[in-house]
């Protein structure tokens, strides 16, 4: 399973979320603490952020820990809304930047932490890659993010072995599902973090129970059970 992180709040440096924390995505690329499937996340990384209302992405099929160019530039990238991920490719999936989250439809950024049988997904045009996560992203975009919880439940009914932790943002909403893997929330004074696992040992991290949808907006955090 990959590991991902989302931020909604005030403008912060991307490096402060992804690279600097003691157990952030940079460290999770080689030593995740809560990963249940796979040992490390060496098959690429992606950082997406909103520049005003425009989603921008930087993705690579190489390990995050070795990317000195990103390390140099990330402190200068500031955003109020970020979706970032490090990837452990599922066996058989292509290893390429286009298979690496976050995926986009031009309005949302989306990451998938898990696995799904592509034969169980409806056919949609516009998947960025043949990778299961890219195909799933295209299905979620086609259904609309307001239906995210229903879409996850339907895909899980079609593929009961699927793990469907999805994280998505559009600049003013941050959505995430816990369906088969870990998810945690940190409510900070300047914003909210949703992450596959805590990036530090702050006592404020809360674990999201499995089969739940989380929504973060300027009004706060809402948890909804999924069936
Ligand atoms: N199945 C996806 C991929 O191959 C995600 C894998 C994961 O969560 N580790 O990229």
């Amino acid at each position: 399973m990959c590991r991902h992180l989302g931020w909604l709040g005030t403008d912060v440096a991307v490096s402060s979320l992804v690279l600097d924390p003691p157990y952030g995505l940079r460290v999770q690329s080689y030593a995740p603490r809560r990963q249940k499937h796979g040992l490390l996340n060496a098959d690429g990384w992606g950082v997406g952020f909103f520049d005003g209302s425009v989603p921008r992405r930087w993705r690579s099929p190489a390990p995050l820990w070795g990317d000195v160019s990103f390390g140099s530039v990330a402190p200068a990238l500031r955003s109020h809304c970020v979706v970032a991920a490090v990837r452990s490719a599922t066996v058989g999936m292509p290893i390429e930047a286009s298979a690496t989250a976050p995926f986009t439809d031009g309005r949302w950024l989306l990451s998938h932490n898990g696995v799904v049988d592509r034969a169980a997904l409806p056919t949609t045009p516009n998947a960025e890659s043949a990778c299961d996560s890219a195909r799933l992203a295209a299905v979620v975009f086609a259904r609309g993010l307001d239906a995210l919880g229903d879409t996850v439940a339907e895909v899980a009914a079609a593929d009961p072995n699927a793990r469907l932790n999805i994280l998505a943002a559009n600049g003013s909403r941050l959505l995430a599902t816990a369906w088969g893997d870990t998810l945690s929330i940190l409510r900070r004074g300047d914003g909210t973090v949703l992450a596959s696992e805590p990036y530090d040992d702050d006592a404020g991290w809360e674990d999201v129970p499995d089969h739940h949808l989380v929504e973060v907006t300027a009004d706060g955090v809402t948890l909804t059970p999924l069936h």
Side-chain angles (χ1 to χ4, degrees):
M1 303 285 266
C2 313
R3 307 273 82 186
H4 53 212
L5 170 140
W7 166 256
L8 185 67
T10 61
D11 270 3
V12 297
V14 166
S15 53
S16 73
L17 297 169
V18 172
L19 301 178
D20 302 343
Y23 307 105
L25 288 180
R26 186 181 66 82
V27 173
Q28 289 171 36
S29 69
Y30 58 84
R33 295 191 293 176
R34 293 196 179 179
Q35 192 152 340
K36 295 183 193 165
H37 303 273
L39 297 175
L40 75 173
N41 300 287
D43 299 320
W45 60 272
V47 170
F49 59 93
F50 284 85
D51 172 15
S53 59
V54 179
R56 301 196 185 280
R57 295 181 292 170
W58 186 343
R59 298 183 293 168
S60 163
L64 178 59
W65 70 74
D67 200 314
V68 291
S69 295
F70 179 69
S72 169
V73 173
L77 301 176
R78 298 183 67 82
S79 180
H80 67 287
C81 186
V82 175
V83 174
V86 289
R87 181 176 182 219
S88 170
T90 298
V91 172
M93 297 300 153
I95 297 180
E96 55 193 16
S98 59
T100 305
F103 305 100
T104 190
D105 64 351
R107 290 186 304 151
W108 289 83
L109 294 168
L110 184 149
S111 171
H112 169 228
N113 170 194
V115 63
V116 61
D117 179 356
R118 288 172 288 184
L121 294 174
T123 308
T124 47
N126 303 330
E128 290 184 51
S129 161
C131 172
D132 60 345
S133 299
R135 292 272 315 275
L136 177 64
V139 170
V140 171
F141 291 144
R143 292 284 312 272
L145 271 293
D146 285 335
L148 177 62
D150 292 340
T151 303
V152 164
E154 285 165 22
V155 170
D159 175 9
N161 295 319
R163 298 191 300 271
L164 299 165
N165 280 43
I166 291 174
L167 175 66
N170 70 351
S172 58
R173 297 167 72 194
L174 182 59
L175 304 174
T177 56
W179 193 287
D181 208 320
T182 55
L183 180 69
S184 298
I185 307 174
L186 181 64
R187 302 171 206 239
R188 300 187 350 190
D190 57 348
T192 303
V193 182
L194 299 181
S196 303
E197 56 182 63
Y199 61 48
D200 63 17
D201 289 330
D202 190 305
W205 287 98
E206 303 159 42
D207 294 339
V208 176
D210 204 28
H211 293 187
H212 275 71
L213 172 74
V214 185
E215 172 156 18
V216 183
T217 66
D219 295 332
V221 180
T222 316
L223 261 75
T224 312
L226 297 174
H227 303 290

